[in-house]
C-alpha cells in the first residue's frame, strides 16, 4: 500500500478525466424525464395560445386563425363563468380554514390521547377515507343522502317526515361538500403536523411544567410556535391554489347534477363541461388561460410575500 | 434514571406531561366519534353489498339489514363478469407498469440532479419545478394529446402523461442529496463503475424507504384513475375498474335528470343494463377493497414519506 498522499493525487487525476463522460451519462439518465415533461407539460403550456385563437380541429392548435380577445369577451359575458369564479373562491376560503384547523386540532388531540394504542387505532381509521377514490366517495354520499334509500331519508321516513331530495336542493351542498372534504382529508393531513409535534423534545414541556404551565399554555407557547412555519407554508400553498378546485369533489360527489350547479359548479368543472359537453373549445381555453395565469401569479406573489416576512419559509 | 423509575411507581397516577384523566376522557369521546364517522360510511357500503335487494327497496340502506344475501355479487358477476375482469386487468396492468416505469424515470432524474458534479443540475431542477408553478390546463393538454400525439381512445394516454411528477422528483432529489453518498460513489468510480451502474446497483438498493413511499403514492394514483378514462377513452375494453363504477353512477344520474328517457327504447335499455342498488354496492366493494386491505401495512411508510416531503427542495 502506498502513502495516503499519493493515492489522493492519483484519485484526483482519475476523477477529472471521468468528469466529462460523467456529465453525459447523467444527462442521458434525465432524458426520459425531459422528454415526458416536454410532451405533456411544456407543449400544453405552449398550447395555451389556444385562448387567443378560434380553434379549427383540422388546422390544429398552431395553425388555427387568431381571434384576438374575442374568446375572452365571450367569457366575460358568460354568466356561468362568473358563477364558477364565485363558487371557486368561496369554497377555497372555507377549505383554507377547515383544511388547516381541522387536521391541526386532530393532530394535537391524537398526540395527547391515552392509551397510545387507542391513538394508533384512531389514526388508522381516520386515514381510511384518504384511501378511497372520489368515485367511491360519491357512492358513499349517495348511500347516505339518496331520497329513496339513503340513511337520512329512512331516518326521516321512519319518523313520518318527508325525505329531503338532497340531489335537487342546492342549499345543503355547501355544507355537504365541506363535510365530505373534511371527512376525506382530516386524518391524512394531520400526519404532517403530528410528525412535527412528536419531534418536539420533551425537555421543553418538562421545563414548562416546572414553571407551572397548564397543558393549554404548553400548547399555546411551545407546540404552536414549532408548528407555525408549517402552517404558514400550507396556508400559502392554498392561497396559491385559490383559483382551482378538486375536480373529483365538485363533479363526482354531486354527480354532476344540473340542479345543483348554482352551488357546485367551479372553474374546473365548467372547463370540463364546456369542452366535452358543449364542445366549445375556445371558451373553455379562455377560462383555462385565466385560471392558469391567475394561479401562477398567486403562487409567485404569495411566495414573494413570505420571503419578505421570513426568507427561510419561501419555497423558491 | 430517576425519572424512569419514578414513572414506573406513579404509573396509575397523573403524570405532569399528560392531560388530566377528565380531559383525556373527553378527547377519547371525540376521537371515537371522529373515527366512527370515518369508518361507518365505508362499513355501510360493505353491509349494503350483502343485503337482499328487496330489503333495500323496503327499508333503504341499513347497518342492520332485514335480510342478508349474496345475490348482489352473484348478479354482478353473472351480468358483467366479462367487463369486471377486463376493467380489473386494465387497472392492475396500469398500476404495476405505471408504478415501475414512473419510479424508474423519476429516480434517474432525481438522482442525476442530486449529483453536485452534474453541470445541468440547477437548470434541470428548475425545468421540473416550473411544471408545478404553471400548467397549460385541461384544454391545451386535451388538444395536444388528441391531435398531436393521437392518443384519443389509446391506453397510453392513461400511462404516459402521469409518469413524471415534479413534486416526487424533488422529494427524491432531497432524499438522494441528504444521504451523503459521495464517498461510495467516488469509490465505485475508481473501481470503474459507470454512472448507470452506480445508480442501479448502489443508489437504488440504499434508497428503499424513499422508493416505497413514492411507489405507494404513485400506485394509488394509478389505481384511482378514472378522469382520464372519461376524457379520452371510448371503447369499453380499455375501462378501468374505477371508471366502470363512475359510469354506473353517471348513467343513474343521467336517467334521473331525464325522466322522459325511461319511456324511450334507449332509456329502457340503459336501465336494464344498470346494476340494482345492492349490485352497485358490490361493485363499489370490488373497487375500494384492494387499497383498503393494504394501507394499514404501509402506514409507517407514508408517515415517514410525508415528513420526507416537508424537507425543502
Amino acid at each position: 500500500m502506498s502513502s495516503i498522499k499519493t493515492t489522493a493525487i492519483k484519485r484526483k487525476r482519475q476523477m477529472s478525466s471521468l468528469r466529462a463522460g460523467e456529465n453525459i451519462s447523467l444527462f442521458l439518465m434525465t432524458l426520459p424525464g425531459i422528454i415526458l415533461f416536454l410532451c405533456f407539460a411544456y407543449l400544453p403550456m405552449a398550447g395555451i395560445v389556444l385562448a387567443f385563437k378560434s380553434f379549427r380541429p383540422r388546422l390544429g392548435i398552431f395553425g388555427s386563425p387568431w381571434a384576438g380577445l374575442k374568446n375572452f369577451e365571450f367569457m366575460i359575458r358568460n354568466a356561468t363563468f362568473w358563477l364558477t369564479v364565485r363558487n371557486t373562491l368561496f369554497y377555497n376560503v372555507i377549505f383554507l380554514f377547515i383544511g388547516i384547523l381541522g387536521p391541526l386540532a386532530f393532530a394535537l388531540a391524537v398526540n395527547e390521547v391515552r392509551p397510545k394504542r387507542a391513538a394508533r387505532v384512531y389514526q388508522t381509521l381516520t386515514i381510511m377515507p384518504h384511501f378511497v377514490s372520489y368515485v367511491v366517495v360519491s357512492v358513499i354520499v349517495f348511500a347516505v343522502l339518496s331520497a329513496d334509500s339513503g340513511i337520512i331519508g329512512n331516518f326521516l321516513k321512519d319518523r313520518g317526515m318527508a325525505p329531503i331530495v338532497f340531489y335537487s336542493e342546492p342549499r345543503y351542498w355547501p355544507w355537504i361538500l365541506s363535510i365530505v372534504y373534511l371527512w376525506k382529508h382530516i386524518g391524512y393531513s394531520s400526519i404532517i403536523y403530528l410528525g412535527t409535534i412528536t419531534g418536539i423534545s420533551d425537555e421543553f414541556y418538562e421545563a414548562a411544567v416546572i414553571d407551572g404551565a397548564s397543558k393549554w399554555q404548553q400548547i399555546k407557547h411551545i407546540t404552536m410556535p414549532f408548528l407555525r412555519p408549517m402552517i404558514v407554508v400550507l396556508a400559502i400553498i392554498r392561497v396559491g391554489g385559490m383559483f382551482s378546485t378538486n375536480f373529483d369533489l365538485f363533479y363526482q360527489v354531486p354527480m354532476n347534477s344540473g340542479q345543483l350547479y348554482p352551488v357546485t359548479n367551479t372553474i374546473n368543472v365548467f372547463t370540463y363541461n364546456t369542452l366535452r359537453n358543449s364542445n366549445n373549445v375556445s371558451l373553455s381555453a379562455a377560462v383555462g388561460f385565466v385560471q392558469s395565469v391567475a394561479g401562477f401569479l398567486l403562487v409567485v406573489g404569495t411566495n414573494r410575500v413570505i420571503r419578505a416576512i421570513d426568507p427561510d419559509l419561501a419555497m423558491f | 434514571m430517576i425519572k424512569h423509575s419514578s414513572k414506573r411507581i406513579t404509573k396509575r397516577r397523573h403524570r405532569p406531561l399528560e392531560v388530566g384523566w377528565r380531559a383525556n376522557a373527553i378527547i377519547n369521546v371525540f376521537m371515537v366519534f371522529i373515527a366512527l364517522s370515518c369508518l361507518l360510511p365505508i362499513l355501510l357500503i360493505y353491509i349494503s353489498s350483502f343485503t337482499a335487494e328487496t330489503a333495500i327497496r323496503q327499508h333503504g340502506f341499513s347497518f342492520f339489514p332485514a335480510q342478508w344475501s349474496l345475490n348482489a355479487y352473484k348478479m354482478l358477476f353473472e351480468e358483467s363478469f366479462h367487463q369486471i375482469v377486463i376493467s380489473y386487468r386494465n387497472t392492475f396492468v396500469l398500476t404495476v407498469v405505471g408504478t415501475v416505469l414512473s419510479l424508474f424515470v423519476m429516480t434517474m432524474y432525481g438522482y442525476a440532479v442530486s449529483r453536485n458534479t452534474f453541470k445541468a443540475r440547477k437548470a434541470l431542477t428548475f425545468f421540473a419545478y416550473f411544471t408545478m408553478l404553471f400548467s397549460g390546463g385541461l384544454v391545451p393538454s386535451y388538444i395536444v394529446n388528441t391531435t398531436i400525439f393521437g392518443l384519443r381512445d389509446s391506453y397510453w394516454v392513461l400511462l404516459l402523461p402521469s409518469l413524471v411528477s415534479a413534486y416526487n422528483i424533488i422529494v427524491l432529489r432531497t432524499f438522494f442529496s441528504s444521504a451523503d453518498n459521495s464517498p461510495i460513489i467516488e469509490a465505485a468510480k475508481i473501481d470503474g463503475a459507470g454512472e448507470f451502474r452506480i445508480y442501479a446497483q448502489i443508489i437504488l438498493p440504499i434508497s428503499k424507504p424513499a422508493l416505497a413511499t413514492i411507489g405507494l403514492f404513485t400506485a394509488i394514483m394509478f389505481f384511482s384513475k378514472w378522469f382520464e378514462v372519461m376524457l379520452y377513452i371510448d371503447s369499453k375494453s380499455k375501462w378501468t375498474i374505477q371508471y366502470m363504477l363512475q359510469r354506473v353512477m353517471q348513467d343513474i344520474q343521467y336517467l334521473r335528470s331525464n325522466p322522459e328517457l325511461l319511456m324511450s327504447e334507449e332509456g329502457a335499455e340503459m336501465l336494464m343494463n344498470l346494476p340494482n342498488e345492492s349490485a352497485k354496492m358490490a361493485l363499489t366493494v370490488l373497487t375500494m377493497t384492494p387499497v383498503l386491505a393494504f394501507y394499514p401495512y404501509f402506514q409507517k411508510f407514508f408517515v415517514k414519506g410525508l415528513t420526507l416531503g416537508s424537507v425543502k427542495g
Side-chain angles (χ1 to χ4, degrees):
Chain A
M1 234 205 177
S2 53
S3 78
I4 296 166
K5 204 174 170 189
T6 44
T7 3
I9 292 169
K10 212 166 127 196
R11 231 173 114 174
K12 222 174 202 171
R13 204 172 296 143
Q14 271 176 320
M15 290 288 57
S16 62
S17 66
L18 284 169
R19 291 279 184 246
E22 179 188 294
N23 265 287
I24 295 171
S25 326
L26 287 173
F27 179 74
L28 285 177
M29 287 170 74
T30 60
L31 203 56
I34 292 177
I35 293 170
L36 286 166
F37 276 131
L38 277 178
C39 290
F40 300 110
Y42 283 91
L43 203 55
M45 277 183 213
I48 210 158
V49 293
L50 257 179
F52 303 95
K53 297 204 163 200
S54 67
F55 183 65
R56 305 269 180 282
R58 266 186 307 120
L59 300 174
I61 297 180
F62 302 104
S64 290
W66 292 96
L69 294 176
K70 230 169 77 195
N71 296 335
F72 293 96
E73 279 170 37
F74 264 118
M75 180 186 82
I76 287 172
R77 272 190 262 121
N78 189 313
T80 314
F81 167 70
W82 292 107
L83 175 85
T84 60
V85 170
R86 190 203 69 178
N87 283 345
T88 303
L89 294 176
F90 171 76
Y91 284 107
N92 274 319
V93 170
I94 290 182
F95 290 1
L96 172 70
F97 286 103
I98 63 172
I100 287 179
L101 294 181
L104 180 64
F106 183 77
L108 289 173
V110 150
N111 186 51
E112 300 295 343
V113 81
R114 288 189 312 265
K116 285 294 155 220
R117 187 171 295 171
R120 204 160 307 132
V121 174
Y122 298 144
Q123 210 191 353
T124 305
L125 289 178
T126 40
I127 291 170
M128 202 165 167
H130 177 81
F131 289 95
V132 299
S133 70
Y134 265 109
V135 178
V136 170
V137 172
S138 75
V139 179
I140 294 172
V141 172
F142 179 82
V144 175
L145 297 183
S146 147
D148 305 325
S149 40
I151 290 281
I152 295 181
N154 288 313
F155 181 82
L156 293 176
K157 264 189 268 181
D158 288 350
R159 274 150 197 77
M161 288 182 268
I164 304 167
V165 188
F166 284 103
Y167 285 92
S168 29
E169 289 272 9
R171 63 198 162 114
Y172 297 111
W173 282 84
W175 294 99
I176 296 169
L177 291 173
S178 301
I179 291 168
V180 170
Y181 177 81
L182 204 54
W183 178 80
K184 194 155 181 346
H185 297 288
I186 190 167
Y188 192 74
S189 307
S190 70
I191 293 176
I192 194 159
Y193 297 112
L194 212 54
T196 307
I197 295 173
T198 49
I200 303 171
S201 163
D202 268 354
E203 286 169 29
F204 290 102
Y205 297 104
E206 277 157 12
V209 169
I210 291 169
D211 290 344
S214 69
K215 193 76 221 173
W216 192 246
Q217 284 169 320
Q218 292 171 34
I219 289 176
K220 197 175 156 201
H221 296 291
I222 301 171
T223 317
M224 286 311 285
F226 271 103
L227 289 174
R228 197 161 294 138
M230 184 169 285
I231 295 171
V232 171
V233 168
L234 291 176
I236 300 281
I237 291 173
R238 277 164 186 281
V239 171
M242 212 71 187
F243 269 89
S244 78
T245 51
N246 184 329
F247 178 85
D248 295 23
L249 175 62
F250 289 92
Y251 178 89
Q252 187 56 30
V253 176
M255 302 223 278
N256 202 24
S257 164
Q259 286 154 296
L260 301 179
Y261 274 173
V263 294
T264 61
N265 207 358
T266 60
I267 300 178
N268 294 59
V269 178
F270 180 57
T271 323
Y272 171 80
N273 278 331
T274 326
L275 175 71
R276 278 312 294 275
N277 300 336
S278 6
N279 211 7
N280 192 339
V281 175
S282 299
L283 175 61
S284 192
V287 176
F289 179 87
V290 170
Q291 191 181 29
S292 292
V293 172
F296 178 70
L297 294 178
L298 273 175
V299 174
V300 175
T302 43
N303 190 64
R304 188 158 290 181
V305 172
I306 306 191
R307 174 162 290 205
I309 300 169
D310 183 355
D312 284 342
L313 294 178
M315 287 175 287
F316 51 89
Chain B
M1 285 308 142
I2 295 163
K3 195 179 112 198
H4 190 76
S5 54
S6 74
K7 251 185 189 174
R8 200 168 278 168
I9 294 163
T10 57
K11 206 176 176 183
R12 308 200 119 242
R13 261 193 288 147
H14 169 55
R15 275 174 277 164
L17 287 188
E18 291 173 341
V19 289
W21 71 269
R22 211 173 284 126
N24 189 46
I26 295 171
I27 296 176
N28 264 300
V29 170
F30 265 106
M31 287 282 133
V32 169
F33 174 75
I34 295 174
L36 283 183
S37 59
C38 285
L39 174 70
L40 289 181
I42 294 173
L43 196 64
L44 178 65
I45 303 294
Y46 280 92
I47 293 175
S48 303
S49 76
F50 293 107
T51 304
E53 185 66 18
T54 47
I56 296 182
R57 284 268 154 76
Q58 282 169 11
H59 314 288
F61 302 114
S62 165
F63 287 103
F64 310 100
Q67 196 190 340
W68 297 88
S69 154
L70 279 172
N71 261 338
Y73 290 91
K74 222 188 265 168
M75 238 184 87
L76 188 67
F77 283 127
E78 262 165 28
E79 276 168 20
S80 27
F81 183 73
H82 187 61
Q83 187 61 45
I84 289 175
V85 170
I86 289 179
S87 309
Y88 244 119
R89 185 203 63 194
N90 288 343
T91 295
F92 277 104
V93 170
L94 181 68
T95 306
V96 172
V97 174
T99 307
V100 171
L101 276 183
S102 185
L103 275 180
F104 186 59
V105 173
M106 293 195 301
T107 47
M108 282 203 301
Y109 199 106
Y111 168 65
V113 295
S114 78
R115 291 287 307 275
N116 46 18
T117 49
F118 185 34
K119 288 203 181 71
R121 64 190 293 241
K122 279 230 166 89
L124 286 177
T125 305
F126 183 75
F127 185 76
Y129 193 69
F130 188 72
T131 63
M132 278 164 72
L133 302 181
F134 190 70
S135 87
L138 177 71
V139 185
S141 298
Y142 177 78
I143 304 289
V144 164
N145 288 342
T146 52
T147 62
I148 297 181
F149 298 128
L151 291 177
R152 170 119 220 180
D153 200 29
S154 156
Y155 205 63
W156 295 103
V157 79
L158 307 180
L159 181 74
L160 294 176
S162 316
L163 282 182
V164 278
S165 138
Y167 179 79
N168 286 345
I169 285 179
I170 285 166
V171 171
L172 285 167
R173 188 195 72 144
T174 313
F175 181 84
F176 290 138
S177 50
S178 66
D180 183 23
N181 299 322
S182 49
I184 319 173
I185 294 171
E186 301 276 285
K189 266 204 206 129
I190 304 272
D191 292 344
E195 282 300 331
F196 188 77
R197 239 184 102 187
I198 294 175
Y199 152 81
Q201 294 189 344
I202 297 174
I203 300 301
L204 286 191
I206 58 175
S207 308
K208 274 184 197 136
L211 294 186
T213 313
I214 304 281
L216 180 73
F217 291 157
T218 310
I220 289 172
M221 182 269 293
F222 276 113
F223 187 85
S224 311
K225 268 207 185 310
W226 66 274
F227 177 69
E228 285 86 346
V229 188
M230 175 168 85
L231 190 59
Y232 293 103
I233 302 294
D234 301 314
S235 34
K236 284 178 120 182
S237 63
K238 290 166 191 148
W239 283 10
T240 60
I241 191 79
Q242 300 277 349
Y243 182 66
M244 192 180 161
L245 178 63
Q246 198 273 339
R247 195 50 190 260
V248 168
M249 297 304 280
Q250 191 183 316
D251 288 349
I252 291 170
Q253 175 60 22
Y254 186 65
L255 283 177
R256 209 185 69 87
S257 49
N258 302 288
E260 71 282 356
L261 254 179
L262 288 175
M263 305 299 157
S264 73
E265 215 168 289
E266 184 205 357
E269 202 197 308
M270 225 166 134
L271 191 67
M272 243 176 58
N273 286 329
L274 279 177
N276 58 29
E277 296 290 354
S278 54
K280 198 166 71 194
M281 296 302 150
L283 181 59
T284 312
V285 166
L286 293 183
T287 310
M288 64 180 171
T289 306
V291 179
L292 289 185
F294 277 113
Y295 89 89
Y297 301 100
F298 284 95
Q299 195 165 339
K300 69 169 200 272
F301 278 120
F302 57 75
V303 167
K304 223 178 267 166
L306 282 172
T307 334
L308 204 78
S310 68
V311 179
K312 206 165 72 167

